[in-house]
Amino acid sequence: MRPRRSGVARLVALLLLVTAATFAAASLQLSLGTTQKPGPGVVPLVSAVFLGLAAVTALVGRRRADEGEPPAGAAARAVLVVAALVLVYPAALAWFGFSIATVALVWGAARALDLPARPAALLAVGAVGVSVLLFRVALDVPLPTGLVGF
Amino acid sequence: MGIWHDLLFGFSVALQPENLLAAFLGALVGTVVGVLPGLGPAGAIAILLPITFGMNAPTALVMLAGIYYGSMYGGSITSILVRVPGEAASVVTSLDGYQMARQGRAGPALAIAALASWVAGTLGVLALTLVAPSLARFALAFGPPEQLCLAALALLTLPTVTGSSVAKAYGLAALGVLIATVGQDPTGGLVRFAPAAVPGLSRGIDFVPVVMGLYGVAEVLRTAEEWMGRSRTDKTDMMAVPRLSRLWPDRDDLRRSAGPTGRGAVIGFLVGLLPGPGNIVSTYISYVLERRLSKQPDEFGRGAVEGVAGPEAANNAATAGQLVPLLALGIPFSSITGLLLGGIMLHGIVPGPRLMSDHPELFWGLIASMYVGNVVLLVLNLPLVGLFARISLLRPNLLAPVVLVFCVIGAFSLNNSVFDVVVLMVAGVVGYLLHKAGYEPAPLVLGMIVGPLLEASLTQTGLILDGQWSAMLQRPLSAALLGLMLVAVLWPLSRWLLRLLLVREPAR
């Protein structure tokens, strides 16, 4: 029996297929132009078709050795926590500013990676402190201060 | 005469204090990156790209290139001492290098690796000095039809050699081109695929946060999975670094390494010219060749010094070879040179055959800095090898969260925009999922970089040829490039057919 594709591989192939269909539909709303002057819809449409074909091939093709299984147990929890942190982070950055949001991000990621609470806090405050000194103070990078102004 | 005069000009640029410092810092950071398992040169260049915003273009490129070739050497240190290759190009070195270390010859193995890297790196740069200007002059004859073919050729060839399936690679290259089309159309100015609900999209999606997400944030997620998937004993079982009692190789080691170093340099440079990860492929070719040529092939895998010298020479020479298409044609044939190209474009410089004539300080400054950088690497690595080996033992759960901070600052400082941080984080999660599904992100990066060039040259070619696309076959250069594209498409197809036939053979 042919080995089933991993769940992640099927999910990614489906997402790519949806992306291809969305771009293809949107490209058709744009002008395709003429052979003398290709319109702004040509390259996106051709690329979307390529992406769609590749996604279909990935959906129906044989399983390959480089496809991994979703993590389980503690590894899955760690990945989910870090993924949730990085996805929520931009909103936190806009509201609370770089210092607070990034301390929370680093502390959370370090905890998810099994670092005890106190060393994780030290790492977070240290990394953010050095970054603020280096980038905001020394290099004048306007790191966002957020609504709380810090 | 012309080349040497230009090279002297390059040295006058490379030896300026800020460029010397950039070469030193690049080589140092590259070595550290090479030492750290997980964070490869592509990830390091992606994360550090924003640091170069404030530098002038030659200084920025000198630093980024320093990271690239520094990482090639750094990877060998941990390969030899603890059999943990810092990056893929050092896997082969660990076969014999680690065995030499176990026999108490870690010092000579590291010294041979450093010397072979230096000799081959310098020979590679010499070849780059001779080949790149000639190719660039030749490529000045390229018009939009040829540029269109070159861009398409890059998109057709790199995905076939990245290691993941051809369909997956082409799919990601197409996705990269699609992402690059978001925002303003480069020829007509029309804003595409930017709904009003997401205002940040109207100025397009920058490749820097995408690359930092794919290589940096995704790496943090992978580290979380790997680290938490290990048993507690695995985590505490830290590897001991062997003591380095004697560093210098004896006369016999040097004699046995000379041939493999020379052959490795030639193989590395030539393989580096081809699309794909030349610095990885060349190490395998060099190792197999040295084993075939050896009078004691049984020694390979048990501590043969030739098995360290050849692959180390090959991967360093390949670094120079990979810069030839980048500097002469403005086309990246690997993910790392794609990132270097991005570094050039961030400074408003249009890469391509005119780079040498329009920005000689960048072209020749970079080449000259590589001679300097190779010396810096040798001087840096021999005395500091013990320190670098200890860096490799840094726990991933300390390093990974700090990588996130670098990524955030880098993405934000690009345009001082939180939208870029959103792109960074989404790209990170997508990159992790792609990795789990067996996709290699390099074709996506290539698609994002080459996409705009492809689209612009497509429009210009249509206008120049007045819609008569068959006229491309009457232009010798574009016809030749179309022929190469055909080979690029047919090659994987023929391999697939061959595999299909071979699989069916036993059933008969």
Side-chain angles (χ1 to χ4, degrees), chain B residues 93-162:
Chain B
T93 308
S94 70
L95 298 176
D96 283 279
Y98 181 65
Q99 293 303 325
M100 284 181 73
R102 284 188 67 186
Q103 293 159 17
R105 289 172 28 84
L110 287 164
I112 287 293
L115 289 169
S117 298
W118 174 62
V119 171
T122 307
L123 287 175
V125 182
L126 187 64
L128 169 71
T129 311
L130 297 171
V131 174
S134 315
L135 187 60
R137 273 185 214 106
F138 171 69
L140 279 174
F142 284 19
E146 288 76 21
Q147 280 171 358
L148 174 66
C149 291
L150 262 181
L153 186 65
L155 286 174
L156 283 172
T157 48
L158 178 62
T160 61
V161 289
T162 49

Side-chain angles (χ1 to χ4, degrees), chain B residues 320-381:
Chain B
Q322 290 192 323
L323 288 175
V324 172
L326 175 76
L327 291 177
L329 308 173
I331 297 288
F333 276 170
S334 73
S335 54
I336 300 174
T337 48
L339 290 170
L340 292 178
L341 185 76
I344 297 175
M345 288 160 69
L346 280 175
H347 286 83
I349 291 170
V350 181
R354 300 202 64 84
L355 185 72
M356 186 176 72
S357 50
D358 292 351
H359 300 279
E361 74 292 348
L362 186 73
F363 187 94
W364 289 106
L366 173 68
I367 291 179
S369 82
M370 289 181 73
Y371 287 98
V372 178
N374 272 299
V375 176
V376 169
L377 270 180
L378 190 70
V379 173
L380 194 71
N381 280 302

Side-chain angles (χ1 to χ4, degrees), chain A residues 22-110:
Chain A
T22 311
F23 268 100
S27 303
L28 288 171
Q29 306 291 316
L30 302 167
S31 160
L32 295 180
T34 60
T35 52
Q36 192 189 17
K37 193 172 186 301
V42 173
V43 169
L45 182 63
V46 173
S47 307
V49 170
F50 262 96
L51 177 61
L53 287 174
V56 170
T57 312
L59 266 177
V60 299
R62 277 189 306 175
R63 182 183 178 135
R64 286 173 54 93
D66 53 12
E67 288 171 17
E69 286 299 334
R77 273 196 300 278
V79 171
L80 282 175
V81 169
V82 177
L85 282 169
V86 299
L87 289 176
V88 169
Y89 175 79
L93 182 67
W95 289 332
F96 301 110
F98 175 80
S99 304
I100 295 173
T102 312
V103 164
L105 173 73
V106 175
W107 184 81

Side-chain angles (χ1 to χ4, degrees), chain B residues 61-128:
Chain B
L61 195 60
V62 162
M63 186 167 173
L64 293 175
I67 294 172
Y68 181 21
Y69 54 75
S71 68
M72 289 300 111
Y73 179 72
S76 67
I77 297 176
T78 44
S79 287
I80 290 168
L81 291 180
V82 287
R83 202 166 48 175
V84 178
E87 36 79 43
S90 303
V91 171
V92 176
T93 308
S94 70
L95 298 176
D96 283 279
Y98 181 65
Q99 293 303 325
M100 284 181 73
R102 284 188 67 186
Q103 293 159 17
R105 289 172 28 84
L110 287 164
I112 287 293
L115 289 169
S117 298
W118 174 62
V119 171
T122 307
L123 287 175
V125 182
L126 187 64
L128 169 71

Side-chain angles (χ1 to χ4, degrees), chain B residues 154-360:
Chain B
L155 286 174
L156 283 172
T157 48
L158 178 62
T160 61
V161 289
T162 49
S164 63
S165 93
V166 173
K168 284 177 177 174
Y170 279 146
L172 278 202
L175 180 63
V177 176
L178 274 178
I179 294 172
T181 62
V182 174
Q184 224 170 36
D185 158 29
T187 48
L190 179 80
V191 175
R192 299 175 290 188
F193 315 123
V198 193
L201 282 176
S202 58
R203 62 168 173 76
I205 297 177
D206 226 299
F207 91 97
V208 174
V210 174
V211 169
M212 291 174 84
L214 289 174
Y215 286 96
V217 177
E219 186 59 43
V220 173
L221 286 162
R222 281 206 294 276
T223 303
E225 181 184 345
E226 279 173 26
W227 181 252
M228 295 308 290
R230 284 188 197 177
S231 67
R232 201 161 285 277
T233 335
D234 270 0
K235 287 178 194 167
T236 48
D237 185 20
M238 302 298 282
M239 289 159 290
V241 179
R243 287 178 71 84
L244 297 173
S245 51
R246 186 172 66 89
L247 188 63
W248 288 105
D250 56 30
R251 192 170 287 185
D252 188 47
D253 287 331
L254 290 172
R255 183 186 56 76
R256 287 174 59 182
S257 305
T261 301
R263 286 187 288 273
V266 174
I267 291 168
F269 185 77
L270 293 177
V271 175
L273 291 172
L274 304 173
N279 46 6
I280 300 169
V281 177
S282 62
T283 59
Y284 287 91
I285 297 175
S286 165
Y287 191 80
V288 171
L289 179 74
E290 293 311 324
R291 192 175 176 164
R292 290 233 171 113
L293 292 177
S294 173
K295 287 175 186 161
Q296 294 105 22
D298 292 347
E299 265 191 36
F300 278 74
R302 294 177 186 171
V305 72
E306 295 91 336
V308 175
E312 276 304 304
N315 74 30
N316 281 272
T319 308
Q322 290 192 323
L323 288 175
V324 172
L326 175 76
L327 291 177
L329 308 173
I331 297 288
F333 276 170
S334 73
S335 54
I336 300 174
T337 48
L339 290 170
L340 292 178
L341 185 76
I344 297 175
M345 288 160 69
L346 280 175
H347 286 83
I349 291 170
V350 181
R354 300 202 64 84
L355 185 72
M356 186 176 72
S357 50
D358 292 351
H359 300 279

